Amino acid sequence: MAENENENGTAQFNPPPLPPLFPETYKLFGIEFAPKRLPLDRRMETVAVFFWISSFLFGGLITSTLMAYLFFFTRFWYVPIAYLTWMVYDLDTCNRGGRTGWIVDFVRGWRIWKHYRNFFPVKLIKTAELDRNQNYLLGSHPHGVLCSGAFSCFATDGAGFSTLFPGIVPHLLT
């Protein structure tokens, strides 16, 4: 008896199996997307990197467009004027040691930066004690405009810089 025959000897039709309703991965326009059943931590890492890259790429454009719109098309023309005044006042901040205070510490300590660090993954390793009363110049390679490792270690507290080197406040320049 052949495989596709039933007990009577007649042919039996076996349809091919249906594709799963929720496949692990799927493709759209040749791009393979991540599985739908990823852990929440992995999703948060992706969100953190998307937040960082989108704020880097589109933050200036969105802010400029918003300020132009407020100035030319609304009655809130004073908001862009106040922002421009602050920009002129703040122009010399980099020559005075950068920004300090609770708002800088607050943003540097956002939990999203720990997810950002875990995405790549970046690890900061302490190899020597550093005197907090001295100034240090640290090099990072590879370097460039979008240096994820240096950003994670020195611009944020995602890699734990403040716990490894208490009293030293890093400032990142790329």
Side-chain angles (χ1 to χ4, degrees), residues 10-11 20-21 28 32-33 41-42 46 57-58 63 65 67 73 76 96-98 119-120 142 152 161 165:
T10 58
L21 186 58
L28 181 65
E32 187 172 348
F33 289 88
D41 285 343
R42 185 65 180 160
T46 306
L57 292 177
F58 304 115
T63 301
T65 304
M67 291 299 147
F73 301 110
F76 299 108
R96 294 185 314 238
F119 180 85
F120 288 105
S152 180
F161 186 91
F165 303 101

Side-chain angles (χ1 to χ4, degrees), residues 54-70:
S54 62
S55 65
F56 181 84
L57 292 177
F58 304 115
L61 178 65
I62 291 171
T63 301
S64 299
T65 304
L66 178 65
M67 291 299 147
Y69 174 76
L70 289 173

Side-chain angles (χ1 to χ4, degrees), residues 60-121:
L61 178 65
I62 291 171
T63 301
S64 299
T65 304
L66 178 65
M67 291 299 147
Y69 174 76
L70 289 173
F71 186 76
F72 291 113
F73 301 110
T74 69
R75 59 189 169 115
F76 299 108
W77 56 268
Y78 53 88
V79 173
I81 298 297
Y83 185 71
L84 184 62
T85 304
W86 177 79
M87 282 180 56
V88 170
Y89 168 76
D90 193 56
L91 198 57
D92 198 41
T93 298
C94 60
N95 297 326
R96 294 185 314 238
R99 289 185 183 86
T100 58
W102 69 271
I103 191 73
V104 174
D105 294 335
F106 174 70
V107 174
R108 285 176 50 89
W110 281 351
R111 187 167 181 82
I112 195 169
W113 303 131
K114 295 199 185 306
H115 294 296
Y116 176 85
R117 175 207 58 202
N118 291 334
F119 180 85
F120 288 105

Side-chain angles (χ1 to χ4, degrees), residues 11-26:
Q12 177 179 335
F13 176 70
N14 292 331
L18 294 173
L21 186 58
F22 297 107
E24 285 299 313
T25 62
Y26 62 96

Side-chain angles (χ1 to χ4, degrees), residues 128-167:
E129 288 293 328
L130 299 178
D131 182 14
R132 70 177 71 187
N133 298 321
Q134 298 290 321
N135 290 325
Y136 299 95
L137 180 64
L138 305 174
S140 173
H141 187 80
H143 54 81
V145 177
L146 293 175
C147 49
S148 301
F151 178 82
S152 180
C153 289
F154 306 120
T156 72
D157 202 25
F161 186 91
S162 65
T163 56
L164 288 174
F165 303 101

Side-chain angles (χ1 to χ4, degrees), residues 39-55:
L40 181 61
D41 285 343
R42 185 65 180 160
R43 293 285 183 198
M44 291 302 295
E45 292 167 8
T46 306
V47 167
V49 172
F50 178 75
F51 170 75
W52 175 70
I53 195 73
S54 62
S55 65

